[in-house]
Every structure is written in C-alpha cells, then in structure tokens.
C-alpha cells in the first residue's frame, strides 16, 4: 500500500458490493449474481394471492359471511404453495421474492386470525400469543437470511442445519404455520391451541438464541460506495 492511502478507504474499495462474497461454490441456494429480476411469475402469484386473501377476509368481515373467511385462508395456503413451486420450477427464486413472500404471509395470517378471533373470543389468547410469535419473533428470524448470500430461507441449511430443521424444513414450516389452524379448527380447544403456540414460541426463542450465538454477519463497507 502506498504511503498516504487511508487504510479504511482502501478496505472499503476492496470490499465486494453489498457484502456478497465472490466464491463460485456451485450451491443452488447461494447468490452468484449482483442483481436480480423481480418481475417474475412467482412474485406476481404472491401479490395476487395476497390481494385475493385480503379481499376475501375483508368481504367476510363486511358481509358476515364466514365462508369467505375460510376462502381467504384457502387462497393464502394454496397461493403460498403455488408461488414457491413456480419459483423453483422456473428458477425464479429471488431474495426480493423471498421477502415479499414473508411479509405477504404476515398480512394474510394477521387478518385471518384477527377476524377469526373476533368470531370466536375463546381463541383470542392463543391467537394473540401466536401473532406475537409469528409477526415479531418469526419475522425477525425469517428475515435474518438476508445477512447471508442466500437466495431464500429455504437454503438456510447451508448456514446452519439445526435452525433450518427447526424452522424451514417441511416439518418446521408445518409446525410454524399450519399446525395451529388445524388444531384450532379440529379440537376447538383454547387450551390445546395455547399449549401449541407456547411450544412454537419456545422453538422460536431457542432459534433466536442459537442464531445470535452462531453470529448474524453484517455486510461490511461503505453503503454509499456500494451503490455507486
Ligand atoms: Zn455456496
């Protein structure tokens, strides 16, 4: 390094833009391109299924037709499977799409459960606990994948297999988002639902502790320089 060069500035210039490493590892789940196309069929399906779910649930509230509430839930569930399937089949998995999917899920789940809780007050305790777990703890955990060069949280096993198994494997996802609605509609037991939500919440707390012990990396360098 020549004399007179600011070491910090030199380090910033040498850092890869946006903190991505430049290793061509061959993993399908790792990011290898600096930009991504967000105008994809998968993202279109995500937006459409979210609008469809929101429309059905709000129409259910305004008209009192409960079947529309469950239609909204069905649109959310089927659409959530469809956008992920299309993204994989068309190789359209993008980080922006993954974030869109995560935030769209929160909106659909929130309006469904709040509307259902308004109808079935006995379920308000497990619903409130679940909303805190899903909207806060799980949202923070799910968005953490952005701190690694991953295409989505579906490839988090490349970072940590335990966190992946607990949260984003097929059983992990089933526990996270599908189990409560099944138990709620089949048992109609607030105690069973509360017990399930506390179990899910415990998994999330343990996951957050593990994630922060593993260490969530921060992108290094100058944010302004990375965009120029
Ligand atoms: Zn890789």
């Amino acid at each position: 390094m020549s004399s007179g060069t600011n070491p910090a500035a030199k380090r910033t210039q040498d850092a890869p833009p946006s903190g991505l490493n430049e290793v061509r590892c061959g993993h399908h789940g790792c990011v290898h391109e600096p930009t991504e196309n967000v105008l994809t069929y998968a993202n279109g399906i995500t937006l459409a299924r979210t609008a469809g779910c929101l429309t059905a649930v709000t129409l259910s509230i305004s008209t009192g037709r409960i079947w529309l509430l469950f239609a909204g839930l069905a649109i959310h569930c089927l659409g959530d499977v469809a956008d992920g399937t299309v993204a994989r089949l068309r190789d359209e998995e993008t980080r922006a799409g993954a974030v869109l999917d995560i935030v769209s899920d929160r909106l659909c789940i929130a309006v469904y459960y709040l509307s259902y809780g308004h109808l079935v007050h006995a379920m308000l305790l497990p619903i409130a606990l679940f909303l805190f777990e899903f909207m806060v703890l799980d949202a923070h955990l799910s968005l953490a994948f952005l701190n690694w060069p991953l295409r989505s949280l579906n490839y988090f096993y490349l970072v940590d297999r335990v966190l992946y198994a607990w949260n984003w494997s097929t059983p992990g996802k089933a526990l996270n988002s599908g189990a409560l609605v099944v138990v709620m509609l089949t048992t109609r037991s607030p105690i069973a639902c509360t017990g399930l939500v506390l179990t899910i919440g415990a998994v999330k707390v343990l996951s957050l502790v593990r994630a922060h012990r593993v260490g969530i990396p921060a992108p290094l360098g100058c944010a302004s320089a990375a965009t120029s």
Side-chain angles (χ1 to χ4, degrees), residues 157-182:
Y157 56 82
L158 293 167
V159 174
D160 189 282
R161 288 189 173 277
V162 173
L163 283 174
Y164 172 79
W166 287 354
N167 297 281
W168 304 298
S169 62
T170 301
K173 284 184 175 178
L175 175 70
N176 191 32
S177 54
L180 180 61
V181 72
V182 172

Side-chain angles (χ1 to χ4, degrees), residues 25 27 30 158:
C25 57
H27 295 133
C30 293
L158 293 167

Side-chain angles (χ1 to χ4, degrees), residues 93-168:
E93 293 169 288
T94 60
R95 286 158 64 83
V99 172
L100 183 66
D101 189 70
I102 290 168
V103 297
S104 294
D105 289 351
R106 311 296 130 171
L107 174 61
C108 294
I109 290 296
V111 294
Y112 166 77
Y113 276 113
L114 285 174
S115 181
Y116 186 81
H118 195 66
L119 294 170
V120 187
H121 288 188
M123 289 296 181
L124 282 172
L125 175 62
I127 285 173
L129 291 171
F130 180 73
L131 288 178
F132 180 80
E133 176 274 312
F134 192 68
M135 311 290 287
V136 180
L137 303 183
D138 187 67
H140 171 57
L141 199 57
S142 295
L143 291 170
F145 87 89
L146 290 168
N147 293 70
W148 285 270
L150 292 173
R151 298 177 81 179
S152 81
L153 43 73
N154 292 324
Y155 302 101
F156 204 86
Y157 56 82
L158 293 167
V159 174
D160 189 282
R161 288 189 173 277
V162 173
L163 283 174
Y164 172 79
W166 287 354
N167 297 281
W168 304 298

Side-chain angles (χ1 to χ4, degrees), residues 78 85 115 219:
L78 294 174
T85 303
S115 181

